[in-house]
Amino acid sequence: MAGYRDLLRTPGVGRMITSQLAARFPSGMTALAILLHVEQRTASYGAAGLVLAATSVGQALAGPLTSRWMGAWGMRRVLTLTLGVCVLSVLALALLPLTLPGYVFFGLLIGLSTPPVQSAVRTIYPKLVNAAQLTPLFSLDASLQEIIWIFAPVVITVVSTQVGTVEGLVLIAVILVVAGGWFVLSPELGRVRIPRSRRAFGLVVLKPPVLLATVIGFLLIGGVSAVEVGVVATFGHDGIEAGLVLGVFAVGSLVGGLSLGHIPIGPWAMARRLVIVTLGLTLAVFSLNIFWLGGTLLLAGVGIAPVLAVLFAITTASVKFSETAEAFGWAGTGQLIGAAAGSAVAGFLVDGAGPQGAFLAGVLFTLVGLIVAIVFVRSFPDLRERDASPYPDTEPVTIPR
C-alpha cells in the first residue's frame, strides 16, 4: 500500500485517476439501466439483451476509430464531441416513445458515441510516472475502477427500481455532463499530445500481445456480462439484491487487484489469474441462493482486476507511444464485443432455460479464455525484467552540415 500511496502523490496521478473514474462511472450504470428500462417496456429479457448488444457493438466499432482520432484532432476535441452525442442519445432512449427497433437504434448510437476515456487516460499514464511505476499504476487503475462496479450497480438499481427507469437514464446523462466535463478540462489532457500514428489503421491489432489482449478481453468481459444478466434475472427488478450481489462481485476484484498488483507479470500470469475467475463462476452455477452467489462471485472477482492489469501492461509494452491509444481502442473493442455477445447469449438463455443458463454461459466464456492463455503462453511478453512503457516514436533527424 505504501507503493500505491507514493503513486498517488506523483503530480497529476491522483487527479487523473479520480476524474477518469468519475467520467467512467456511468459505464457501470448504463447496461443495467438499459436492461431494466427495455425489459420493463417490452417484458422481454431477450429484447433487452438485444439492445445491450447493440450498445456494445456500437462501442466496439467506434473505440479504435475515436481513439485514433485523438492523435489527429486532439483528445479534448474528440472527447467533447462524443460526450455531447452520447448525452443526447441517452436522453432520447429514456424519454421518447420507442418500439424495439428504436431502442436498438439509440442503444447503438449510445455505443458509437461513448467517449474514449479509457484510451485517453491509459495513453497519458506513461507520461505521468517513471517506467518502474507504470505496471503498479495499471494495477491500481484496474483495481480502483472496481469502485465503479461496486457502487454504480447499487445506485442505478435503487434509482431505477424505487424511482423509475426513466429517472435512472436521466441520472446517467447528468453524470456524463458533470464528470465528463471535469475529465475533459483536466490539465493533463492539454499537456500530453498523442503523436499522429504513421502506420495504417488497424495494423497495431496484429501484434500478438495486442491481439491476445483483445481476444482474452472479449472472453473475460463476455463472461462477466453473462453473469450480470443472470444476476438481474435471478433477483428481478423489484429490489436491490441484484445490485448488491454485483457490488460484491466488484469488491472481490478490488481486493484481488490491490493484493496482486505488486507481483511481476510473467508469461503465465494471465493463465493463473483466469483460473481464479473460472473457478468462482463454475461454483456459482450450482445454486442461485443469494449468499452462495455472493460468495462464489466474490471469489471469481478476485481474478478480474489482476487479469485486466495484465491486459493493460502487455498492450502498452508492445507498441509505440503513437499507437497506444489505438491499441487500447482495439483491446476495448474486444471487451465490448464480448459484452455484446455475453449479454445477448445470456438474455436468450434466461428466456429459454432460466437464470442458470446465463451463469453457465459465463463459465464457458472464461474457460475458453483460460485455454487461449495456456495455448499461446509464449506470445505473452515477460515483464519481470523490464517495464511496461511503450516504445518511443523515432524518426530520422536532419543534421545541418
Side-chain angles (χ1 to χ4, degrees):
M1 295 304 297
Y4 293 136
R5 285 195 296 270
D6 291 340
L7 271 176
L8 292 173
R9 292 192 188 107
T10 303
V13 171
R15 179 169 49 238
M16 268 288 94
I17 289 179
T18 306
S19 63
Q20 65 96 9
L21 285 176
R24 291 171 52 214
F25 196 79
S27 66
M29 307 170 73
T30 303
L32 269 175
I34 292 175
L35 181 70
L36 293 168
H37 184 70
V38 177
E39 191 278 330
Q40 186 179 90
R41 296 297 176 90
T42 65
S44 170
Y45 278 104
L50 192 61
V51 177
L52 285 179
T55 303
S56 297
V57 168
Q59 290 176 295
L61 291 173
L65 188 59
T66 55
S67 297
R68 189 178 174 95
W69 284 350
M70 289 192 294
W73 299 344
M75 284 187 280
R76 279 186 173 146
R77 188 176 299 176
V78 173
L79 288 165
T80 301
L81 173 64
T82 53
L83 186 64
V85 176
C86 190
V87 168
L88 293 175
S89 301
V90 170
L91 292 175
L93 190 142
L95 302 174
L96 296 180
L98 303 170
T99 59
L100 180 56
Y103 286 122
V104 170
F105 171 77
F106 282 109
L108 178 65
L109 195 55
I110 290 169
L112 288 171
S113 60
T114 299
V117 174
Q118 290 192 66
S119 296
V121 74
R122 285 165 191 158
T123 299
I124 292 171
Y125 281 158
K127 300 300 182 182
L128 297 181
V129 299
N130 61 48
Q133 293 176 308
L134 189 54
T135 296
L137 178 55
F138 280 133
S139 182
L140 180 63
D141 177 85
S143 302
L144 292 181
Q145 74 176 5
E146 295 306 324
I147 293 173
I148 297 171
W149 307 107
I150 293 169
F151 294 106
V154 177
V155 171
I156 198 61
T157 302
V158 170
V159 173
S160 295
T161 59
Q162 307 304 315
V163 182
T165 58
V166 171
E167 289 80 0
L169 288 166
V170 171
L171 175 63
I172 290 172
V174 171
I175 296 175
L176 280 170
V177 172
V178 176
W182 179 25
F183 178 74
V184 169
L185 294 175
S186 297
E188 288 72 21
L189 266 75
R191 296 175 190 157
V192 177
R193 184 185 180 280
I194 303 173
R196 187 187 295 268
S197 178
R198 297 178 180 276
R199 302 186 73 193
F201 177 71
L203 288 182
V204 69
V205 79
L206 299 180
K207 293 188 175 184
V210 179
L211 185 58
L212 280 170
T214 302
V215 171
I216 292 177
F218 161 82
L219 294 165
L220 174 70
I221 303 303
V224 170
S225 297
V227 168
E228 184 175 84
V229 174
V231 169
V232 173
T234 298
F235 299 106
H237 51 72
D238 295 325
I240 65 171
E241 291 89 348
L244 292 174
V245 170
L246 292 174
V248 169
F249 195 14
V251 167
S253 182
L254 175 62
V255 170
L258 294 177
S259 301
L260 302 178
H262 67 286
I263 298 177
I265 295 173
W268 284 99
M270 181 68 76
R272 292 192 188 101
R273 299 170 190 213
L274 280 169
V275 166
I276 301 172
V277 182
T278 305
L279 175 62
L281 296 188
T282 300
L283 293 173
V285 173
F286 293 99
S287 173
L288 298 181
N289 173 272
I290 185 171
F291 298 105
W292 177 263
L293 282 180
T296 55
L297 294 184
L298 180 67
L299 172 62
V302 168
I304 292 176
V307 168
L308 292 173
V310 175
L311 291 180
F312 302 157
I314 66 172
T315 298
T316 195
S318 305
V319 300
K320 294 181 179 180
F321 179 64
S322 61
E323 299 172 326
T324 51
E326 185 186 344
F328 280 119
W330 284 109
T333 286
Q335 296 171 30
L336 293 163
I337 294 176
S343 297
V345 170
F348 286 108
L349 285 175
V350 167
D351 284 343
Q356 282 181 312
F359 288 102
L360 180 59
V363 173
L364 293 177
F365 271 98
T366 56
L367 179 60
V368 174
L370 174 59
I371 293 170
V372 170
I374 293 172
V375 171
F376 296 98
V377 66
R378 293 187 178 182
S379 296
F380 286 91
D382 191 343
L383 302 181
R384 291 173 294 184
E385 302 297 332
R386 54 161 292 199
D387 61 74
S389 299
Y391 298 113
D393 288 274
T394 58
E395 61 183 10
V397 178
T398 301
I399 301 176
R401 297 191 179 188

